[in-house]
């Protein structure tokens, strides 16, 4: 049980009261919600976000306002209320305030979200995926996952994201964790092939689980990386979720083969039509012994995605985020516990899902001890890795940064079967970093002209 302060109890109680009247008429009640957020954000942790949301409310015909309103028409009422309560009250107001106090007290990074792998097992074998490198027999027990969440909540983390492997191999435990922690919001990267009517009904019952479906484009591009027939199974899963008024989004990895497809209006429009409410974009990283560096997107393709997503934010009813090209909005790299971290199925506490090195394991150290470990403190010391936040990553964008961190912290490779030397890994990204640098500098200067 996580003990709340009196202030947190008041915020939680008031939040539930506010959400009671958010069941109908968003045009009338959204401004009331904002009035409440303004009143309770006493430390101005979300001043810029509140201002941005006010601007959205001032444009009722805009795509962002229409996206928010679609949560009333397209999403089950109880699921929507649970999401608002967990995301706005617990994850944002209560959680972020608690994180800030913990950062000051312990002088280390405290994450907003924890990404963790219930299992390394997967029912697919996607080209260039590192998951199989861990082996397919690694699992964290329900008790271990539950302990991570309990520890995280004490420090203010109420957002938990599953990856793998394929997380839904552990369907029963995932639902059980949703039940055990109804105050948390859970999201899962998933290939969606295990989503059926029965599991969707369980999602409706617990109300705090959202899938981010991995999809590489249309049928040809998806089946190229994920296997023949995968796309049709994904489409079927999306249809089930949409019919049951369950929120979901997509997770897209752009590569040299598919960047122009998943960055196209046709593709985004199709995903919106199928019911997706958000789209998370990643650029392909050559991590793991079986990685395919030839799949890395070119600088021109990465720039294309930069412009497309900014255009979509002005025109499309879907929330989009690019975890590399949006570094300017979060002041660079968010890994190493600054905003998130990754715990693999072996319990290794890694700074990032793409950085497979660790000096702490959940079976040997608490979360707080891991946040204070040499590896995570090295991240804290060096972030941001570049003043140009369009070059945020210590591996992909800043040659030598990760090798220095690993050397100083004496972190070890966590690859279960084929430990990867950090110098060799970095060498696979050096050319891409050098080619991206002048493009990023030009984009940055255009977006941030000297005053």
């Amino acid at each position: 049980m996580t003990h709340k302060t009196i202030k947190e109890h008041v915020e939680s109680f008031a939040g539930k009261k506010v959400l009671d009247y958010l069941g109908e008429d968003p045009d009338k009640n959204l401004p009331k919600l904002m009035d409440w957020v303004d009143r309770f954000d006493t430390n101005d942790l979300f001043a810029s976000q509140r201002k941005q949301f006010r601007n959205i409310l001032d444009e009722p015909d805009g795509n962002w306002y229409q996206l928010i309103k679609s949560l009333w028409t397209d999403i089950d009422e109880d699921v929507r209320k649970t999401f608002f309560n967990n995301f706005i009250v617990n994850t944002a107001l209560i959680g972020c305030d608690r994180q800030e106090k913990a950062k000051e007290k312990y002088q280390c990074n405290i994450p907003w979200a924890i990404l963790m792998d219930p299992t390394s097992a997967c029912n697919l074998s996607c080209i260039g995926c590192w998951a199989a490198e861990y082996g397919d027999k690694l699992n964290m027990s329900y008790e271990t996952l539950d302990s991570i969440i309990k520890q995280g909540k004490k420090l203010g983390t109420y957002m938990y994201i599953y990856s793998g492997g394929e997380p839904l191999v552990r369907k029963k435990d995932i639902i059980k964790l949703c039940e055990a922690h109804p105050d948390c919001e859970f999201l899962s990267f998933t290939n969606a092939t295990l989503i059926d009517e029965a599991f969707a009904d369980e999602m409706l019952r617990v109300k705090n689980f959202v899938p981010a479906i991995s999809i590489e484009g249309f049928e040809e591009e998806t089946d190229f990386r994920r296997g023949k027939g995968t796309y049709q199974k994904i489409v079927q899963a999306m249809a089930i979720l949409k019919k049951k008024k369950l929120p979901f989004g997509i997770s897209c990895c752009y590569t040299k083969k598919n960047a122009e497809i998943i960055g196209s209006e046709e593709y985004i429009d199709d995903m919106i039509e199928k019911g997706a409410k958000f789209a998370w974009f990643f650029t392909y990283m050559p991590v793991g012994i079986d990685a395919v560096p030839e799949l890395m997107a070119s600088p021109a393709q990465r720039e294309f995605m930069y412009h497309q997503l900014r255009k979509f934010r002005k025109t499309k009813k879907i929330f989009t985020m690019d975890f590399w090209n949006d570094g300017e909005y979060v002041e660079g790299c968010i890994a190493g516990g600054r905003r998130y971290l990754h715990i693999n199925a072996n319990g290794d506490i890694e700074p990032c899902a793409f950085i497979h090195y660790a000096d702490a394991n959940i079976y040997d150290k608490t979360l707080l001890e891991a946040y204070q470990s040499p590896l995570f403190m090295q991240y804290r010391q060096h972030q941001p890795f570049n003043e140009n936040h369009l070059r945020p990553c210590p591996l992909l964008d800043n040659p030598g940064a990760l090798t220095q961190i690993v050397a100083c912290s004496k972190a070890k490779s966590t690859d279960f079967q084929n430990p990867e030397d950090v110098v060799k890994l970095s060498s696979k990204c050096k050319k891409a970093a050098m080619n991206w640098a002048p493009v990023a500098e030009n984009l940055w200067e255009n977006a941030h002209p000297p005053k």
Side-chain angles (χ1 to χ4, degrees), residues 146-354:
D146 183 56
S147 174
I148 291 169
I149 297 168
K150 287 177 178 175
Q151 290 181 58
K153 286 199 291 186
K154 288 180 180 178
L155 295 168
T157 305
Y158 283 84
M159 171 64 71
Y160 294 88
I161 306 172
Y162 298 113
S163 59
E166 169 49 50
L168 295 191
V169 169
R170 299 281 300 280
K171 282 181 182 181
K172 290 183 179 179
D173 282 335
I174 283 176
I175 291 296
K176 189 177 176 183
L177 288 164
C178 289
E179 292 177 302
H181 301 279
D183 52 350
C184 292
E185 194 65 23
F186 295 92
L187 184 143
S188 179
F189 294 110
T190 173
N191 61 44
T193 60
L194 299 178
I195 293 177
D196 53 18
E197 295 268 355
F199 184 69
D201 287 337
E202 287 291 88
M203 288 173 59
L204 268 177
R205 183 174 65 82
V206 296
K207 304 174 183 59
N208 57 341
F209 179 83
V210 180
I213 297 173
S214 298
I215 185 168
E216 310 291 336
F218 294 110
E219 190 161 18
E220 179 183 348
E221 296 79 27
T222 298
D223 286 1
F224 166 75
R225 273 200 75 200
R226 299 185 174 272
K228 187 174 176 59
T230 304
Y231 179 81
Q232 289 301 327
K233 292 178 181 178
I234 290 173
V235 170
Q236 182 180 1
M238 288 180 172
I240 291 172
L241 295 170
K242 185 177 181 180
K243 180 182 69 174
K244 292 183 181 291
K245 291 194 165 188
L246 285 162
F248 70 91
I250 57 174
S251 169
C252 306
C253 177
Y254 57 92
T255 70
K256 184 165 286 187
K257 183 177 174 63
N258 72 348
E260 289 77 10
I261 298 294
I262 67 171
S264 69
E265 289 203 37
E266 180 187 8
Y267 175 67
I268 290 297
D269 288 342
D270 185 60
M271 291 296 101
I272 294 171
E273 175 63 28
K274 285 181 167 57
K277 296 300 179 187
F278 63 89
W280 286 3
F281 293 86
F282 304 83
T283 190
Y284 175 72
M285 297 279 281
V287 176
I289 201 74
D290 292 331
V292 186
E294 294 76 22
L295 273 179
M296 295 177 74
S298 70
Q301 289 174 316
R302 187 167 167 181
E303 182 180 12
F304 166 75
M305 294 300 296
Y306 171 94
H307 291 300
Q308 286 297 93
L309 293 194
R310 280 155 179 77
K311 181 176 73 174
F312 293 156
R313 286 176 192 143
K314 297 177 181 178
T315 59
K316 305 296 182 184
K317 293 192 296 182
I318 188 169
F319 176 76
T320 58
M321 182 184 295
D322 184 323
F323 281 80
W324 273 262
N325 287 341
D326 284 339
E328 64 178 308
Y329 301 121
V330 290
E331 300 180 337
C333 172
I334 63 171
R338 181 170 166 261
R339 291 290 183 269
Y340 102 110
L341 58 87
H342 177 236
I343 305 176
N344 71 21
N346 195 45
D348 298 308
I349 305 171
E350 303 169 336
C352 176
F354 300 95

Side-chain angles (χ1 to χ4, degrees), residues 123-165:
N123 59 326
L124 298 182
S125 182
C126 303
I127 294 173
C129 178
W130 69 74
E133 298 296 322
Y134 288 126
D136 63 0
K137 306 220 172 20
L138 298 178
N139 294 278
M140 284 194 286
S141 68
Y142 170 86
E143 290 73 21
T144 299
L145 296 166
D146 183 56
S147 174
I148 291 169
I149 297 168
K150 287 177 178 175
Q151 290 181 58
K153 286 199 291 186
K154 288 180 180 178
L155 295 168
T157 305
Y158 283 84
M159 171 64 71
Y160 294 88
I161 306 172
Y162 298 113
S163 59

Side-chain angles (χ1 to χ4, degrees), residues 370-434:
Y371 301 161
Q372 296 174 319
S373 72
L375 177 60
F376 279 70
M377 293 305 289
Q378 280 287 311
Y379 260 78
R380 178 179 170 87
Q381 179 183 335
H382 289 95
Q383 287 166 325
F385 297 105
N386 200 304
E387 292 304 316
N388 180 340
H389 298 322
L390 296 177
R391 299 173 59 191
C393 182
L395 173 59
L396 183 63
D397 300 320
N398 297 281
L402 182 64
T403 55
Q404 179 184 358
I405 287 172
V406 171
C408 289
S409 64
K410 296 182 172 56
K412 304 297 183 185
S413 171
T414 56
D415 193 296
F416 184 65
Q417 293 180 323
N418 298 287
E420 189 165 22
D421 179 80
V422 69
V423 175
K424 291 182 179 178
L425 170 62
S426 297
S427 69
K428 291 190 287 188
C429 299
K430 188 172 183 179
K431 183 178 178 181
M434 293 175 63

